[in-house]
Amino acid sequence: MEKLNSSIDRSWIDKWNQPFILSGPCSAESEQQILETANRLNPSYVQAFRAGIWKPRTKPNNFEGIGKKGLEWLHKVKNSTGLMVATEVANAEHVKLSISFGIDILWIGARSTASPFTIQEIADALELEGANNKIILVKNPIHPDMELWIGALERLLRKGIRKLGVIHRGFYTYKNSKYRNQPNWNLLLNFRSLLPRIPILCDPSHICGNKEGILDIAKKAYHFQYEGLMIESHCDPDHAWSDAQQQITPENLLEMLKELTYIEKCDQKSERHLDSFRILIDELDENLIALLSERMNISKKLGSLKRSSDIAIFQPRRWKDIMKKSLTLGKSLGISEEFIEGVFKLLHQESIKIQNQIK
Ligand code: PEP
Ligand code: MN
């Protein structure tokens, strides 16, 4: 871990004295779409242009990317705008082709980071292509496993790749969540304390899954001193072939970036710690509410079953059992008995009320 931290080459990001902004469409669709989007991005605020060429789709029968010809369009963007260009790679062939078209930044997607075989294949291919000077950005794995994420960085480092960075794009959640991928600021704070030198970018587009939440997530990222953002932009977001709901126009992006620059200037350093704790508490509260909603939904189903089977709603033995288990668990986690008792009485009352309302 120490080796990883001390070997990181930050020159690619440190040379900008402003946040590093990587923007462009989720997917490359046509030459016209790529060139128009790139030309409408403001180069005073944006350093690199992104477009997915090979798209990892959860389900088959969706648009899976334009493939190799998209790399030619990215190459044109690089020559005509001077922006660096970036795409996602998920296997050795992607690496080879991207390098041959002069792609500057390769990012590894969340699904790939979760697979050590895939990471090893990418690292080997980078070595084979003599491409260890490229900037490689590693998105967090789908699930919050920090070791797996760090392991991916170590595999790349072992092949001499030092221009590394990571992207926080949120984590899969099975619960009701207002996010497409739940952010985990606390995990990222731990990540930073383990690896303080690695640049951290945030991808509010894939965290939110909509346009409306992007600015708020970007503000939080700046608050935690992330060094940049990856935000999806498209010349015609409503007609995008993938992730249409979350893409914004280059002009909307510029407005956001201007607001963020202003906020950064006004950010009171003295209040920063207080606000950090508030963000972490708000995140936990959101999770608690999602869990409460899930618990009450199960209570409803349980209530219907009890009704149809003619079983009494209130089951004293089961209630005693829940309380006993919760008190023991609470104690082992340092929570007072009185508090657990109060919370579980409320939960139980609400659950009984919900079950009684079922006809
Ligand atoms: C993307 O950036 O378009 C993408 C597929 O991201 P992720 O790997 O974060 O899902
Ligand atoms: Mn996308």
Side-chain angles (χ1 to χ4, degrees):
M1 190 89 76
E2 231 163 73
K3 170 125 189 352
L4 175 58
N5 198 43
S6 61
S7 306
I8 299 290
D9 177 354
R10 295 182 43 97
S11 59
W12 64 273
I13 197 156
D14 283 345
K15 72 175 184 193
W16 307 97
N17 52 8
Q18 65 194 78
F20 189 88
I21 308 297
L22 187 57
S23 188
C26 179
S27 303
E29 299 161 9
S30 68
E31 181 168 344
Q32 188 270 339
Q33 169 244 10
I34 287 294
L35 295 178
E36 185 182 339
T37 308
N39 286 330
R40 280 168 53 187
L41 287 168
N42 184 324
S44 311
Y45 283 84
V46 176
Q47 284 79 28
F49 182 76
R50 64 151 278 159
I53 302 296
W54 303 282
K55 299 303 298 176
R57 306 310 297 269
T58 304
K59 296 264 179 68
N61 306 322
N62 283 311
F63 172 59
E64 299 205 318
I66 206 80
K68 189 174 156 188
K69 64 181 167 197
L71 294 172
E72 290 169 25
W73 308 335
L74 283 180
H75 193 73
K76 283 194 182 162
V77 167
K78 178 172 163 160
N79 287 339
S80 64
T81 64
L83 293 170
M84 288 196 271
V85 288
T87 200
E88 173 174 352
V89 293
N91 61 37
E93 180 70 6
H94 297 167
V95 171
K96 192 172 152 208
L97 284 169
S98 300
I99 301 299
S100 72
F101 280 90
I103 305 301
D104 306 286
I105 303 174
L106 309 185
W107 85 80
I108 298 177
R111 295 157 192 79
S112 302
T113 310
S115 161
F117 286 138
T118 299
I119 296 293
Q120 194 58 51
E121 179 177 332
I122 293 170
D124 291 343
L126 284 163
E127 185 185 43
L128 195 70
E129 299 300 320
N132 47 18
N133 209 25
K134 291 283 172 191
I135 301 166
I136 310 294
L137 303 178
V138 183
K139 287 196 170 196
N140 63 256
I142 293 269
H143 54 293
D145 181 342
M146 199 153 64
E147 285 300 298
L148 197 54
W149 199 3
I150 293 173
L153 295 166
E154 286 174 343
R155 283 178 199 278
L156 292 161
L157 183 72
R158 273 177 35 187
K159 297 293 178 179
I161 297 143
R162 296 173 57 227
K163 289 184 183 156
L164 291 165
V166 296
I167 304 177
H168 176 200
R169 52 75 83 194
F171 298 88
Y172 173 78
T173 163
Y174 182 63
K175 299 189 304 286
N176 313 329
S177 170
K178 68 173 186 181
Y179 301 107
R180 178 175 178 196
N181 293 291
Q182 184 85 30
N184 191 332
W185 305 106
N186 201 21
L187 184 143
L188 266 290
L189 284 178
N190 291 331
F191 188 98
R192 163 147 315 136
S193 62
L194 282 173
L195 293 172
R197 294 193 65 252
I198 191 148
I200 303 181
L201 275 60
C202 179
D203 172 350
S205 308
H206 289 91
I207 288 180
C208 298
N210 60 46
K211 307 179 207 300
E212 295 71 31
I214 294 177
L215 183 60
D216 180 54
I217 293 294
K219 283 182 189 168
K220 288 181 179 155
Y222 276 26
H223 177 83
F224 286 114
Q225 290 164 342
Y226 284 23
E227 282 127 313
L229 301 169
M230 176 189 258
I231 296 184
E232 286 184 342
S233 59
H234 192 294
C235 56
D236 182 10
D238 293 340
H239 297 102
W241 296 2
S242 60
D243 287 354
Q245 342 64 264
Q246 71 193 32
Q247 301 201 63
I248 57 175
T249 62
E251 293 73 26
N252 285 148
L253 174 75
L254 182 62
E255 272 168 44
M256 264 184 211
L257 294 174
K258 284 184 175 164
E259 187 170 340
L260 286 164
T261 312
Y262 176 74
I263 288 168
E264 211 182 24
K265 282 206 189 95
C266 305
D267 197 5
Q268 293 286 336
K269 300 246 174 337
S270 55
E271 290 276 307
R272 211 169 235 167
H273 285 305
L274 196 66
D275 287 342
S276 300
F277 286 121
R278 288 185 173 143
I279 293 172
L280 299 181
I281 293 273
D282 287 350
E283 179 183 319
L284 289 170
D285 286 349
E286 281 169 13
N287 287 339
L288 279 173
I289 291 171
L291 282 171
L292 287 175
S293 145
E294 204 176 321
R295 194 185 194 283
M296 293 311 156
N297 284 337
I298 294 179
S299 287
K300 277 184 206 151
K301 290 184 191 158
L302 180 64
S304 308
L305 190 66
K306 283 178 182 167
R307 286 262 180 235
S308 62
S309 319
D310 223 10
I311 296 171
I313 299 285
F314 178 45
Q315 297 283 327
R317 248 208 1 243
R318 167 76 177 143
W319 165 232
K320 250 174 81 181
D321 198 35
I322 289 180
M323 186 60 99
K324 195 172 146 206
K325 277 196 275 199
S326 306
L327 286 171
T328 311
L329 182 61
K331 197 171 169 194
S332 74
L333 296 173
I335 311 178
S336 87
E337 271 193 17
E338 195 188 348
F339 179 59
I340 292 280
E341 214 174 277
V343 169
F344 274 82
K345 272 187 184 156
L346 272 178
L347 271 180
H348 189 245
Q349 269 166 21
E350 182 66 14
S351 178
I352 296 284
K353 189 171 128 197
I354 285 176
Q355 294 182 47
N356 274 322
Q357 279 163 356
I358 288 168
K359 300 275 175 302

